[in-house]
Amino acid sequence: MRTKIPQLRKERKLSQEELGTAVGVTRQTITSIETGKYVASLPLAYKIAHYFGHTIEDVFDFTNLEESK
């Protein structure tokens, strides 16, 4: 799954550590989400999207998940 998290962090000049702290996870979790090694749970995806003022669909690209059905 691709995300816009790196782009959104860059726009706000946030580190992975700062975003992780803001949404209650570790830097490693943010790294794993950004690199596609981990898919965020729905509550975490909501927290991240809400933090940036976007919807989940704006931040996360679910195209690959839909294609794998």
Side-chain angles (χ1 to χ4, degrees):
M1 173 189 304
R2 293 186 305 188
T3 76
K4 294 181 183 173
I5 296 172
Q7 172 189 343
L8 294 169
R9 281 193 311 99
K10 185 176 181 180
E11 289 171 4
R12 291 200 182 188
K13 297 180 172 63
L14 287 173
S15 68
Q16 292 173 330
E17 182 80 32
E18 290 168 324
L19 177 58
T21 299
V23 298
V25 298
T26 65
R27 177 196 59 78
Q28 291 88 344
T29 299
I30 298 299
T31 300
S32 294
I33 293 169
E34 289 184 357
T35 60
K37 293 180 181 176
Y38 174 74
V39 175
S41 66
L42 184 56
L44 178 55
Y46 175 80
K47 284 181 184 180
I48 293 169
H50 186 260
Y51 179 82
F52 288 114
H54 290 282
T55 65
I56 292 173
E57 293 84 1
D58 287 340
V59 178
F60 296 89
D61 180 0
F62 293 99
T63 305
N64 291 341
L65 292 179
E66 292 172 0
E67 291 173 356
S68 65
K69 287 183 179 177

